């Protein structure tokens, strides 16, 4: 949810903290890939992607994705 904290600890024990600023569900085919990967080296954002919706046993995948975005505190 917006305002939740995301904490990531790197292999060198550096801790990165982000605050969730949005969360949205997309059809798998409509995930905004360009937004997610655009110029990430200059960005202080993080995007987490997880599965949602219905599982298609034949395709072996979910039909939706949840995109959670966060920014550094």
């Amino acid at each position: 949810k917006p305002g939740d904290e995301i904490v990531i600890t790197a292999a060198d024990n550096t801790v990165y903290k982000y605050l969730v600023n949005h969360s949205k569900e997309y059809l798998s085919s409509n995930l905004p890939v360009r937004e997610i990967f655009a110029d990430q080296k200059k960005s202080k954002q993080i995007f987490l992607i997880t599965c949602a919706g219905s599982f298609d046993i034949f395709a072996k995948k979910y039909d939706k994705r949840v995109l959670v975005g966060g920014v550094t505190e």
Side-chain angles (χ1 to χ4, degrees):
K1 295 179 194 175
D4 284 351
E5 188 175 58
I6 300 167
V7 180
I8 297 173
T9 304
D12 66 358
N13 289 322
T14 301
V15 176
Y16 299 92
K17 294 183 180 183
Y18 302 85
L19 286 178
V20 173
N21 64 354
H22 71 279
S23 176
K24 187 172 179 183
E25 190 172 287
Y26 294 89
L27 288 174
S28 294
S29 59
N30 290 336
L31 192 66
V33 176
R34 287 185 185 173
E35 174 189 330
I36 297 167
F37 294 106
D39 214 10
Q40 288 294 309
K41 291 181 182 178
K42 296 179 184 175
S43 178
K44 294 187 178 191
Q45 299 183 84
I46 190 168
F47 291 100
L48 306 174
I49 303 168
T50 191
C51 299
S54 300
F55 186 75
D56 181 333
I57 59 171
F58 299 106
K60 297 183 180 174
K61 65 180 184 177
Y62 285 88
D63 63 344
K64 296 181 182 176
R65 299 288 183 267
V66 175
L67 175 66
V68 178
V71 293
T72 57
E73 295 184 314

